Amino acid sequence: MQASQEPQTSTGIHSLSPQPMQQIEPYCFSPLQVLNSNSSVHRSQGTEVSFQTCTEQFFTLESTPATDYVIYNSPSAVSVSSNRSPFSPQCSQSYVSDVHHSSDNTYGSPLSGYSGVDDNNKLMHALMVLRNELLGPESDIDDSCSFYSVASQTSSLTRCNQILEMAPNMDLQQVLITCAEAVSASDIATAEALMDILERRVSVSGEPLERLSAYMLEGLRARLLSSGSIIYKKLKCKEITSAELISYMQVLYHICPYYKFAYMSANVVIGEAMENENRIHIIDFQIAQGSQWVSLIQALARRPGGPPYIHITGVDDSQSAHARGGGLELVGQTLAKVAKSCGVPFEFHAAGMSGCEVQLENLQIRNGEALAVNFPYMLHHMPDESVSTMNHRDRLLRLVKSLSPKVVTLVEQESNTNTSPFFQRFCETLDYYTAMFESIDAARSREDKQRINAEEHCVARDVVNIIACEDTDRVERHELFGKWRLRLMMAGFSPIPLSHSVSTAIKDMLNEYSPNYRLAESNGALYLGWKNRAMATSSAWR
């Protein structure tokens, strides 16, 4: 996700809005407190719900068992359980077939809701359910129960014909999944035939799944042709002006709460941590337009006893520079004007580079300054040990820890696409971005040109990168909060409990959006969800 911001006036530190996303033994969950916060009044009435025992399909560093959940903004959530987020209604992974379906869960198995026209199709579906429930999707045993693999027992031509015969009875999601299986198996004939079918069923102005499928189809084609990095770079460097790009980013900022969630939660945490400090240094590792800090500067200006001295170091790459229409000096000038108007002593330091390039000398660390570090949807772009021995993801965390910061804020998309094999990564991407496209759909009409452009230029390139690219070319490498927690703790950090003020600020902000957005707290993190799908997490560390 690319950062984008728009100034809005804030009234206090707790309403900071930035201005203009192995099998284990069964375990039992604790009771859940469901809190309804649709009212602007901060009272809440709890309904206690008990989780049933379930078995997590596979438990790795990417996913950890949840314990206690507090869920906000979820009037329809009277029975929820999950092995991956506080919002998921099933115990299985998103791409594992579930026997029980909920009308509120639209991101289930690729085969969810499928009804075959003959006994063979019904049998394949039943076997797929049984296989996944018993073995999990990462099993080494051949996947002989899927649409594609059942047909793969015969010759390539016969297999292709069998799949094409089944295709008319498959919905769009099933065709997309089957095509991905063919690409994964390097079955070019079947993949190309299914792509021709998909081409007639996708649309950038259709329903959310139709729009997402258009971009996922582009990613599959690029992968099949081994041109993933080329296609991705063309998407990334599309011939649009900086003014156009920033306008598309601002469209997403306004119609979805994902960026506001990141900036507001971080601002409240940092504001509270720096309450008694006279000299503050903030290092923002993806400062973008810098307007996240306008509301913080304004709030600190009203602090009893006078404002502190504020020193901000902004780190950012060339993509944000293109959106700004210039370098980080533009950010510094804007923030300096805001600080001057508020009577706040201010200094800005620009570090125009990728996080992979950042070294201690680039950060202007000074004695006597209380340090806060902000990672907003940024760390997942850092290659880890699976990509390079340099492991910049953990290197950067260790570097920050060596600076002894008073607080570190981390906001990341709640998705697992880092080290997963292609097909599982494809299914996870389908699940996650279906929810994102649905949330966008709730705010803008399907014919809206701004929405179409925003999806194409700000979201589609991420989807294509995840699907089409590998190794160093694949820069979108998301991890679940459980893995981020382990990385931070291994680097020497300890979690900081989030105060009630953080969730209160986010709940107030969510009142402006669809009631399908939900908020939950679990394992020290604040989760933002769309319906039953966790979309992003915010956490604080020291």
Side-chain angles (χ1 to χ4, degrees), residues 270-298:
I270 292 172
E272 291 179 338
M274 299 297 175
E275 188 173 4
N276 299 313
E277 299 294 341
N278 294 322
R279 297 184 67 86
I280 299 170
H281 183 188
I282 299 171
I283 301 176
D284 188 345
F285 273 93
Q286 186 165 299
I287 198 164
Q289 312 306 309
S291 48
Q292 171 179 355
W293 306 114
V294 173
S295 58
L296 183 62
I297 292 172
Q298 292 171 338

PDB file of all heavy atoms in Angstrom, residues 270-298:
ATOM      1  N   ILE A 270       2.339   7.864  19.897  1.00  0.00           N
ATOM      2  CA  ILE A 270       3.523   8.721  20.017  1.00  0.00           C
ATOM      3  C   ILE A 270       3.217   9.936  20.896  1.00  0.00           C
ATOM      4  O   ILE A 270       4.045  10.330  21.743  1.00  0.00           O
ATOM      5  CB  ILE A 270       4.001   9.166  18.617  1.00  0.00           C
ATOM      6  CG1 ILE A 270       4.547   7.954  17.856  1.00  0.00           C
ATOM      7  CG2 ILE A 270       5.082  10.237  18.724  1.00  0.00           C
ATOM      8  CD1 ILE A 270       4.869   8.226  16.394  1.00  0.00           C
ATOM      9  N   GLY A 271       2.038  10.525  20.721  1.00  0.00           N
ATOM     10  CA  GLY A 271       1.675  11.667  21.553  1.00  0.00           C
ATOM     11  C   GLY A 271       1.669  11.336  23.035  1.00  0.00           C
ATOM     12  O   GLY A 271       2.147  12.117  23.864  1.00  0.00           O
ATOM     13  N   GLU A 272       1.147  10.162  23.384  1.00  0.00           N
ATOM     14  CA  GLU A 272       1.124   9.745  24.791  1.00  0.00           C
ATOM     15  C   GLU A 272       2.528   9.444  25.301  1.00  0.00           C
ATOM     16  O   GLU A 272       2.885   9.804  26.433  1.00  0.00           O
ATOM     17  CB  GLU A 272       0.226   8.525  24.956  1.00  0.00           C
ATOM     18  CG  GLU A 272      -1.249   8.827  24.747  1.00  0.00           C
ATOM     19  CD  GLU A 272      -2.124   7.596  24.903  1.00  0.00           C
ATOM     20  OE1 GLU A 272      -1.613   6.465  24.756  1.00  0.00           O
ATOM     21  OE2 GLU A 272      -3.330   7.760  25.163  1.00  0.00           O
ATOM     22  N   ALA A 273       3.355   8.793  24.479  1.00  0.00           N
ATOM     23  CA  ALA A 273       4.714   8.439  24.913  1.00  0.00           C
ATOM     24  C   ALA A 273       5.579   9.676  25.136  1.00  0.00           C
ATOM     25  O   ALA A 273       6.486   9.668  25.978  1.00  0.00           O
ATOM     26  CB  ALA A 273       5.366   7.521  23.877  1.00  0.00           C
ATOM     27  N   MET A 274       5.289  10.748  24.388  1.00  0.00           N
ATOM     28  CA  MET A 274       6.120  11.953  24.458  1.00  0.00           C
ATOM     29  C   MET A 274       5.491  13.053  25.319  1.00  0.00           C
ATOM     30  O   MET A 274       5.894  14.211  25.243  1.00  0.00           O
ATOM     31  CB  MET A 274       6.350  12.490  23.037  1.00  0.00           C
ATOM     32  CG  MET A 274       7.058  11.517  22.127  1.00  0.00           C
ATOM     33  SD  MET A 274       8.731  11.162  22.754  1.00  0.00           S
ATOM     34  CE  MET A 274       9.264   9.896  21.604  1.00  0.00           C
ATOM     35  N   GLU A 275       4.551  12.673  26.144  1.00  0.00           N
ATOM     36  CA  GLU A 275       3.768  13.652  26.894  1.00  0.00           C
ATOM     37  C   GLU A 275       4.619  14.596  27.727  1.00  0.00           C
ATOM     38  O   GLU A 275       4.332  15.794  27.844  1.00  0.00           O
ATOM     39  CB  GLU A 275       2.763  12.925  27.792  1.00  0.00           C
ATOM     40  CG  GLU A 275       1.771  13.839  28.459  1.00  0.00           C
ATOM     41  CD  GLU A 275       0.697  13.055  29.197  1.00  0.00           C
ATOM     42  OE1 GLU A 275       0.780  11.820  29.246  1.00  0.00           O
ATOM     43  OE2 GLU A 275      -0.237  13.698  29.714  1.00  0.00           O
ATOM     44  N   ASN A 276       5.699  14.110  28.322  1.00  0.00           N
ATOM     45  CA  ASN A 276       6.516  14.931  29.215  1.00  0.00           C
ATOM     46  C   ASN A 276       7.885  15.259  28.639  1.00  0.00           C
ATOM     47  O   ASN A 276       8.781  15.705  29.373  1.00  0.00           O
ATOM     48  CB  ASN A 276       6.681  14.218  30.566  1.00  0.00           C
ATOM     49  CG  ASN A 276       5.349  13.992  31.260  1.00  0.00           C
ATOM     50  OD1 ASN A 276       4.517  14.899  31.353  1.00  0.00           O
ATOM     51  ND2 ASN A 276       5.132  12.767  31.743  1.00  0.00           N
ATOM     52  N   GLU A 277       8.064  15.056  27.346  1.00  0.00           N
ATOM     53  CA  GLU A 277       9.366  15.301  26.724  1.00  0.00           C
ATOM     54  C   GLU A 277       9.421  16.710  26.130  1.00  0.00           C
ATOM     55  O   GLU A 277       8.464  17.176  25.510  1.00  0.00           O
ATOM     56  CB  GLU A 277       9.629  14.271  25.621  1.00  0.00           C
ATOM     57  CG  GLU A 277       9.657  12.837  26.105  1.00  0.00           C
ATOM     58  CD  GLU A 277      10.817  12.549  27.045  1.00  0.00           C
ATOM     59  OE1 GLU A 277      11.794  13.343  27.043  1.00  0.00           O
ATOM     60  OE2 GLU A 277      10.761  11.541  27.775  1.00  0.00           O
ATOM     61  N   ASN A 278      10.581  17.350  26.287  1.00  0.00           N
ATOM     62  CA  ASN A 278      10.769  18.703  25.762  1.00  0.00           C
ATOM     63  C   ASN A 278      11.442  18.724  24.396  1.00  0.00           C
ATOM     64  O   ASN A 278      11.336  19.716  23.670  1.00  0.00           O
ATOM     65  CB  ASN A 278      11.599  19.541  26.749  1.00  0.00           C
ATOM     66  CG  ASN A 278      10.854  19.786  28.050  1.00  0.00           C
ATOM     67  OD1 ASN A 278       9.640  20.005  28.036  1.00  0.00           O
ATOM     68  ND2 ASN A 278      11.571  19.725  29.167  1.00  0.00           N
ATOM     69  N   ARG A 279      12.153  17.654  24.081  1.00  0.00           N
ATOM     70  CA  ARG A 279      12.807  17.555  22.770  1.00  0.00           C
ATOM     71  C   ARG A 279      12.454  16.186  22.172  1.00  0.00           C
ATOM     72  O   ARG A 279      12.775  15.144  22.764  1.00  0.00           O
ATOM     73  CB  ARG A 279      14.324  17.712  22.870  1.00  0.00           C
ATOM     74  CG  ARG A 279      14.748  19.084  23.395  1.00  0.00           C
ATOM     75  CD  ARG A 279      16.266  19.234  23.381  1.00  0.00           C
ATOM     76  NE  ARG A 279      16.794  19.271  22.017  1.00  0.00           N
ATOM     77  CZ  ARG A 279      16.890  20.376  21.274  1.00  0.00           C
ATOM     78  NH1 ARG A 279      16.486  21.544  21.769  1.00  0.00           N
ATOM     79  NH2 ARG A 279      17.389  20.335  20.056  1.00  0.00           N
ATOM     80  N   ILE A 280      11.808  16.210  21.029  1.00  0.00           N
ATOM     81  CA  ILE A 280      11.280  14.985  20.415  1.00  0.00           C
ATOM     82  C   ILE A 280      11.872  14.806  19.022  1.00  0.00           C
ATOM     83  O   ILE A 280      11.908  15.750  18.225  1.00  0.00           O
ATOM     84  CB  ILE A 280       9.737  15.060  20.309  1.00  0.00           C
ATOM     85  CG1 ILE A 280       9.110  15.204  21.695  1.00  0.00           C
ATOM     86  CG2 ILE A 280       9.180  13.835  19.581  1.00  0.00           C
ATOM     87  CD1 ILE A 280       7.614  15.516  21.649  1.00  0.00           C
ATOM     88  N   HIS A 281      12.337  13.584  18.757  1.00  0.00           N
ATOM     89  CA  HIS A 281      12.829  13.236  17.417  1.00  0.00           C
ATOM     90  C   HIS A 281      11.976  12.089  16.882  1.00  0.00           C
ATOM     91  O   HIS A 281      11.891  11.033  17.503  1.00  0.00           O
ATOM     92  CB  HIS A 281      14.303  12.812  17.476  1.00  0.00           C
ATOM     93  CG  HIS A 281      14.897  12.510  16.136  1.00  0.00           C
ATOM     94  ND1 HIS A 281      16.159  11.947  16.000  1.00  0.00           N
ATOM     95  CD2 HIS A 281      14.422  12.682  14.870  1.00  0.00           C
ATOM     96  CE1 HIS A 281      16.418  11.801  14.704  1.00  0.00           C
ATOM     97  NE2 HIS A 281      15.385  12.225  14.004  1.00  0.00           N
ATOM     98  N   ILE A 282      11.316  12.302  15.755  1.00  0.00           N
ATOM     99  CA  ILE A 282      10.496  11.273  15.117  1.00  0.00           C
ATOM    100  C   ILE A 282      11.166  10.840  13.819  1.00  0.00           C
ATOM    101  O   ILE A 282      11.462  11.680  12.960  1.00  0.00           O
ATOM    102  CB  ILE A 282       9.079  11.796  14.806  1.00  0.00           C
ATOM    103  CG1 ILE A 282       8.364  12.202  16.094  1.00  0.00           C
ATOM    104  CG2 ILE A 282       8.259  10.739  14.052  1.00  0.00           C
ATOM    105  CD1 ILE A 282       7.040  12.933  15.850  1.00  0.00           C
ATOM    106  N   ILE A 283      11.421   9.549  13.673  1.00  0.00           N
ATOM    107  CA  ILE A 283      11.927   9.001  12.418  1.00  0.00           C
ATOM    108  C   ILE A 283      10.774   8.273  11.736  1.00  0.00           C
ATOM    109  O   ILE A 283      10.251   7.294  12.271  1.00  0.00           O
ATOM    110  CB  ILE A 283      13.103   8.028  12.648  1.00  0.00           C
ATOM    111  CG1 ILE A 283      14.258   8.737  13.358  1.00  0.00           C
ATOM    112  CG2 ILE A 283      13.574   7.453  11.309  1.00  0.00           C
ATOM    113  CD1 ILE A 283      15.422   7.806  13.711  1.00  0.00           C
ATOM    114  N   ASP A 284      10.377   8.771  10.584  1.00  0.00           N
ATOM    115  CA  ASP A 284       9.281   8.174   9.820  1.00  0.00           C
ATOM    116  C   ASP A 284       9.889   7.466   8.610  1.00  0.00           C
ATOM    117  O   ASP A 284      10.425   8.107   7.708  1.00  0.00           O
ATOM    118  CB  ASP A 284       8.300   9.257   9.368  1.00  0.00           C
ATOM    119  CG  ASP A 284       7.038   8.675   8.735  1.00  0.00           C
ATOM    120  OD1 ASP A 284       7.045   7.479   8.384  1.00  0.00           O
ATOM    121  OD2 ASP A 284       6.049   9.418   8.590  1.00  0.00           O
ATOM    122  N   PHE A 285       9.766   6.131   8.586  1.00  0.00           N
ATOM    123  CA  PHE A 285      10.420   5.354   7.534  1.00  0.00           C
ATOM    124  C   PHE A 285       9.613   5.298   6.233  1.00  0.00           C
ATOM    125  O   PHE A 285      10.065   4.669   5.273  1.00  0.00           O
ATOM    126  CB  PHE A 285      10.731   3.946   8.037  1.00  0.00           C
ATOM    127  CG  PHE A 285      12.052   3.860   8.733  1.00  0.00           C
ATOM    128  CD1 PHE A 285      12.143   4.017  10.102  1.00  0.00           C
ATOM    129  CD2 PHE A 285      13.211   3.659   8.011  1.00  0.00           C
ATOM    130  CE1 PHE A 285      13.365   3.962  10.748  1.00  0.00           C
ATOM    131  CE2 PHE A 285      14.441   3.604   8.642  1.00  0.00           C
ATOM    132  CZ  PHE A 285      14.523   3.748  10.012  1.00  0.00           C
ATOM    133  N   GLN A 286       8.455   5.926   6.181  1.00  0.00           N
ATOM    134  CA  GLN A 286       7.762   6.129   4.907  1.00  0.00           C
ATOM    135  C   GLN A 286       6.912   7.386   5.042  1.00  0.00           C
ATOM    136  O   GLN A 286       5.714   7.332   5.204  1.00  0.00           O
ATOM    137  CB  GLN A 286       6.899   4.926   4.510  1.00  0.00           C
ATOM    138  CG  GLN A 286       6.299   5.069   3.110  1.00  0.00           C
ATOM    139  CD  GLN A 286       5.753   3.757   2.576  1.00  0.00           C
ATOM    140  OE1 GLN A 286       6.482   2.793   2.411  1.00  0.00           O
ATOM    141  NE2 GLN A 286       4.461   3.722   2.316  1.00  0.00           N
ATOM    142  N   ILE A 287       7.567   8.521   4.917  1.00  0.00           N
ATOM    143  CA  ILE A 287       6.916   9.780   5.273  1.00  0.00           C
ATOM    144  C   ILE A 287       5.951  10.269   4.207  1.00  0.00           C
ATOM    145  O   ILE A 287       5.050  11.056   4.492  1.00  0.00           O
ATOM    146  CB  ILE A 287       7.973  10.859   5.593  1.00  0.00           C
ATOM    147  CG1 ILE A 287       7.328  12.012   6.372  1.00  0.00           C
ATOM    148  CG2 ILE A 287       8.665  11.343   4.320  1.00  0.00           C
ATOM    149  CD1 ILE A 287       8.318  12.921   7.048  1.00  0.00           C
ATOM    150  N   ALA A 288       6.099   9.819   2.965  1.00  0.00           N
ATOM    151  CA  ALA A 288       5.177  10.189   1.883  1.00  0.00           C
ATOM    152  C   ALA A 288       5.019  11.705   1.809  1.00  0.00           C
ATOM    153  O   ALA A 288       5.994  12.429   1.647  1.00  0.00           O
ATOM    154  CB  ALA A 288       3.845   9.480   2.064  1.00  0.00           C
ATOM    155  N   GLN A 289       3.771  12.216   1.963  1.00  0.00           N
ATOM    156  CA  GLN A 289       3.546  13.660   1.904  1.00  0.00           C
ATOM    157  C   GLN A 289       3.847  14.348   3.239  1.00  0.00           C
ATOM    158  O   GLN A 289       3.881  15.574   3.305  1.00  0.00           O
ATOM    159  CB  GLN A 289       2.093  13.957   1.516  1.00  0.00           C
ATOM    160  CG  GLN A 289       1.594  13.176   0.325  1.00  0.00           C
ATOM    161  CD  GLN A 289       2.497  13.323  -0.892  1.00  0.00           C
ATOM    162  OE1 GLN A 289       2.824  14.438  -1.272  1.00  0.00           O
ATOM    163  NE2 GLN A 289       2.889  12.227  -1.491  1.00  0.00           N
ATOM    164  N   GLY A 290       4.044  13.556   4.285  1.00  0.00           N
ATOM    165  CA  GLY A 290       4.391  14.120   5.583  1.00  0.00           C
ATOM    166  C   GLY A 290       3.225  14.658   6.380  1.00  0.00           C
ATOM    167  O   GLY A 290       3.387  15.099   7.523  1.00  0.00           O
ATOM    168  N   SER A 291       2.025  14.618   5.807  1.00  0.00           N
ATOM    169  CA  SER A 291       0.904  15.271   6.482  1.00  0.00           C
ATOM    170  C   SER A 291       0.353  14.479   7.661  1.00  0.00           C
ATOM    171  O   SER A 291      -0.510  14.972   8.383  1.00  0.00           O
ATOM    172  CB  SER A 291      -0.221  15.570   5.487  1.00  0.00           C
ATOM    173  OG  SER A 291      -0.523  14.451   4.703  1.00  0.00           O
ATOM    174  N   GLN A 292       0.868  13.256   7.883  1.00  0.00           N
ATOM    175  CA  GLN A 292       0.502  12.550   9.119  1.00  0.00           C
ATOM    176  C   GLN A 292       0.868  13.401  10.335  1.00  0.00           C
ATOM    177  O   GLN A 292       0.174  13.361  11.361  1.00  0.00           O
ATOM    178  CB  GLN A 292       1.224  11.203   9.194  1.00  0.00           C
ATOM    179  CG  GLN A 292       1.056  10.517  10.550  1.00  0.00           C
ATOM    180  CD  GLN A 292       1.751   9.170  10.638  1.00  0.00           C
ATOM    181  OE1 GLN A 292       2.292   8.683   9.645  1.00  0.00           O
ATOM    182  NE2 GLN A 292       1.742   8.564  11.811  1.00  0.00           N
ATOM    183  N   TRP A 293       1.942  14.177  10.201  1.00  0.00           N
ATOM    184  CA  TRP A 293       2.498  14.857  11.370  1.00  0.00           C
ATOM    185  C   TRP A 293       1.908  16.242  11.598  1.00  0.00           C
ATOM    186  O   TRP A 293       2.203  16.884  12.604  1.00  0.00           O
ATOM    187  CB  TRP A 293       4.022  14.929  11.233  1.00  0.00           C
ATOM    188  CG  TRP A 293       4.578  13.564  10.989  1.00  0.00           C
ATOM    189  CD1 TRP A 293       5.194  13.105   9.865  1.00  0.00           C
ATOM    190  CD2 TRP A 293       4.516  12.454  11.883  1.00  0.00           C
ATOM    191  NE1 TRP A 293       5.524  11.786   9.992  1.00  0.00           N
ATOM    192  CE2 TRP A 293       5.115  11.349  11.225  1.00  0.00           C
ATOM    193  CE3 TRP A 293       4.006  12.267  13.157  1.00  0.00           C
ATOM    194  CZ2 TRP A 293       5.215  10.099  11.814  1.00  0.00           C
ATOM    195  CZ3 TRP A 293       4.105  11.016  13.753  1.00  0.00           C
ATOM    196  CH2 TRP A 293       4.709   9.946  13.080  1.00  0.00           C
ATOM    197  N   VAL A 294       1.088  16.719  10.671  1.00  0.00           N
ATOM    198  CA  VAL A 294       0.477  18.042  10.847  1.00  0.00           C
ATOM    199  C   VAL A 294      -0.381  18.070  12.105  1.00  0.00           C
ATOM    200  O   VAL A 294      -0.276  18.984  12.935  1.00  0.00           O
ATOM    201  CB  VAL A 294      -0.361  18.419   9.611  1.00  0.00           C
ATOM    202  CG1 VAL A 294      -1.126  19.716   9.867  1.00  0.00           C
ATOM    203  CG2 VAL A 294       0.527  18.565   8.381  1.00  0.00           C
ATOM    204  N   SER A 295      -1.235  17.060  12.262  1.00  0.00           N
ATOM    205  CA  SER A 295      -2.118  17.043  13.432  1.00  0.00           C
ATOM    206  C   SER A 295      -1.339  16.849  14.727  1.00  0.00           C
ATOM    207  O   SER A 295      -1.721  17.386  15.773  1.00  0.00           O
ATOM    208  CB  SER A 295      -3.166  15.945  13.287  1.00  0.00           C
ATOM    209  OG  SER A 295      -2.549  14.685  13.120  1.00  0.00           O
ATOM    210  N   LEU A 296      -0.244  16.101  14.679  1.00  0.00           N
ATOM    211  CA  LEU A 296       0.565  15.917  15.891  1.00  0.00           C
ATOM    212  C   LEU A 296       1.242  17.225  16.291  1.00  0.00           C
ATOM    213  O   LEU A 296       1.276  17.589  17.477  1.00  0.00           O
ATOM    214  CB  LEU A 296       1.606  14.825  15.677  1.00  0.00           C
ATOM    215  CG  LEU A 296       2.481  14.492  16.895  1.00  0.00           C
ATOM    216  CD1 LEU A 296       1.627  13.967  18.045  1.00  0.00           C
ATOM    217  CD2 LEU A 296       3.565  13.481  16.538  1.00  0.00           C
ATOM    218  N   ILE A 297       1.769  17.933  15.314  1.00  0.00           N
ATOM    219  CA  ILE A 297       2.386  19.229  15.601  1.00  0.00           C
ATOM    220  C   ILE A 297       1.354  20.175  16.205  1.00  0.00           C
ATOM    221  O   ILE A 297       1.624  20.874  17.195  1.00  0.00           O
ATOM    222  CB  ILE A 297       2.993  19.829  14.314  1.00  0.00           C
ATOM    223  CG1 ILE A 297       4.184  18.991  13.849  1.00  0.00           C
ATOM    224  CG2 ILE A 297       3.416  21.277  14.544  1.00  0.00           C
ATOM    225  CD1 ILE A 297       4.728  19.394  12.481  1.00  0.00           C
ATOM    226  N   GLN A 298       0.172  20.207  15.625  1.00  0.00           N
ATOM    227  CA  GLN A 298      -0.882  21.093  16.141  1.00  0.00           C
ATOM    228  C   GLN A 298      -1.292  20.715  17.556  1.00  0.00           C
ATOM    229  O   GLN A 298      -1.531  21.586  18.398  1.00  0.00           O
ATOM    230  CB  GLN A 298      -2.089  21.049  15.201  1.00  0.00           C
ATOM    231  CG  GLN A 298      -1.827  21.664  13.839  1.00  0.00           C
ATOM    232  CD  GLN A 298      -2.961  21.426  12.856  1.00  0.00           C
ATOM    233  OE1 GLN A 298      -3.755  20.491  13.023  1.00  0.00           O
ATOM    234  NE2 GLN A 298      -3.047  22.260  11.823  1.00  0.00           N
TER     235      GLN A 298
END
